[in-house]
Amino acid sequence: MEDGDSGTHAALSFWQRIGPRVVALFALVGPAAAVLLTQHWHSRSELIQKLKETQPPTGYAIETTATNAPSEVSRPAAEVSPTAAALITVDMIASPPQSVTDQPAALQLTTKPAGATFAVYPGIIADKAAPASAPLRTGTSPGTAEELRGGNYTIFFHKDGWPDSRTEVQLQAGEVRPVEYAFFHGEVTITSVPNGAEILCGTVSLGFTPLTVALPAGDQALTARLKNYPDRTQNVTVNENATPTIEFQMRVHRNIAKAKPTPPPSLAGRVGDSLKHLFGGTSTPPPHRKR
């Protein structure tokens, strides 16, 4: 600028000198900055949308926090962007697997002879003591007592014609334990003449001859029954060290006709015979006995 009085150039102020340059700088940098901000904002919204779409619909939200580092080591704090603070979702198992101590156990029960009923009670019950509670499981051998927990159990056995018995077992969790129980018994071989007779021990049928059966130890009374023959009964001593053999002889009933005795003649008959003899008549012959 020129001074009107002196005709010399007047000095420009600082803002007069820097103004045109700032305007030119904004004219160059402004469009580029606008494009950069627009692209960054658009990509940020797309990233947030993708995170929302990939997030599982169900699960438990777990928020993690950084632990404090030891005092001896100093680490620069990392700059965390706003998206890094998002919650992390993890799918959890709805019903976790049972532990070993919670797994059910079972008893597979067989008896000799078979067909005995059993009752399973918790704990150890002293000999000859009656159970104080209802049984956990009941059944007939061979059978299975399922859904039991680990521990001690007392099993009662009953069979008609046999004395009641019991045994104790210890069961581990998750175990399927076989239990074979034999009543105190011995075996007896039974035959009959003719064969096919039904053998009974008391009121219990053991089968038909010939047969070999297990019987309770001790003195037993056996009865053989066959149609058209009378029943026969024998006693036998049963023990575990021997197998006795008994035989039933069945006999047929025979109907033997017996002769009737002849009644003595009456007085009138004797008088008549005497008169016939005197007058030449024939006397009445004595009756003949049937053979």
Side-chain angles (χ1 to χ4, degrees):
M1 299 179 65
E2 294 182 356
D3 191 353
D5 297 334
S6 59
T8 60
H9 292 281
L12 298 176
S13 65
F14 172 77
W15 292 109
Q16 290 177 342
R17 292 195 304 271
I18 199 66
R21 298 178 182 178
V22 172
V23 173
L25 180 61
F26 272 110
L28 294 175
V29 177
V35 173
L36 179 61
L37 290 175
T38 303
Q39 292 180 352
H40 174 71
W41 183 262
H42 182 69
S43 61
R44 182 175 180 275
S45 60
E46 289 182 354
L47 178 60
I48 295 174
Q49 183 65 26
K50 289 181 179 180
L51 289 175
K52 291 182 179 180
E53 292 177 356
T54 57
Q55 182 176 352
T58 59
Y60 297 92
I62 301 176
E63 184 175 358
T64 59
T65 58
T67 57
N68 296 328
S71 57
E72 292 83 359
V73 181
S74 59
R75 297 179 180 176
E79 183 179 357
V80 181
S81 62
T83 56
L87 297 179
I88 302 174
T89 58
V90 180
D91 288 336
M92 306 297 290
I93 299 176
S95 57
Q98 293 181 340
S99 62
V100 176
T101 57
D102 294 335
Q103 292 181 359
L107 293 170
Q108 293 180 342
L109 300 168
T110 56
T111 60
K112 186 176 182 180
T117 59
F118 61 84
V120 181
Y121 293 87
I124 302 299
I125 302 176
D127 192 16
K128 297 183 180 180
S133 61
L136 297 176
R137 301 290 183 272
T138 58
T140 303
S141 66
T144 303
E146 299 178 337
E147 297 297 328
L148 298 174
R149 300 178 65 89
N152 295 322
Y153 294 91
T154 302
I155 309 173
F156 284 71
F157 296 97
H158 171 79
K159 185 173 176 62
D160 292 340
W162 294 73
D164 291 342
S165 187
R166 68 179 72 184
T167 187
E168 300 170 358
V169 296
Q170 185 177 14
L171 191 61
Q172 302 294 331
E175 179 185 11
V176 178
R177 180 173 180 176
V179 177
E180 298 179 359
Y181 185 81
F183 287 85
F184 185 64
H185 70 284
E187 291 187 345
V188 179
T189 298
I190 307 171
T191 60
S192 67
V193 179
N195 289 331
E198 183 182 13
I199 306 300
L200 299 101
C201 181
T203 58
V204 179
S205 177
L206 304 178
F208 297 87
T209 58
L211 77 162
T212 299
V213 293
L215 293 175
D219 295 333
Q220 304 294 336
L222 302 179
T223 301
R225 181 173 296 169
L226 186 63
K227 188 177 181 180
N228 299 326
Y229 291 85
D231 292 351
R232 299 295 178 186
T233 301
Q234 291 190 43
N235 295 325
V236 61
T237 300
V238 181
N239 57 65
E240 291 185 321
N241 300 323
T243 304
T245 300
I246 60 175
E247 183 180 69
F248 288 93
Q249 293 288 339
M250 315 300 290
R251 298 178 181 177
V252 181
H253 281 295
R254 293 183 179 180
N255 295 324
I256 299 176
K258 294 183 178 180
K260 296 182 180 180
T262 303
S266 63
L267 178 61
R270 289 198 301 269
V271 172
D273 289 342
S274 300
L275 292 175
K276 288 180 182 180
H277 181 70
L278 290 175
F279 294 101
T282 58
S283 60
T284 302
H288 297 282
R289 294 183 177 180
K290 294 181 180 181
R291 296 183 180 179

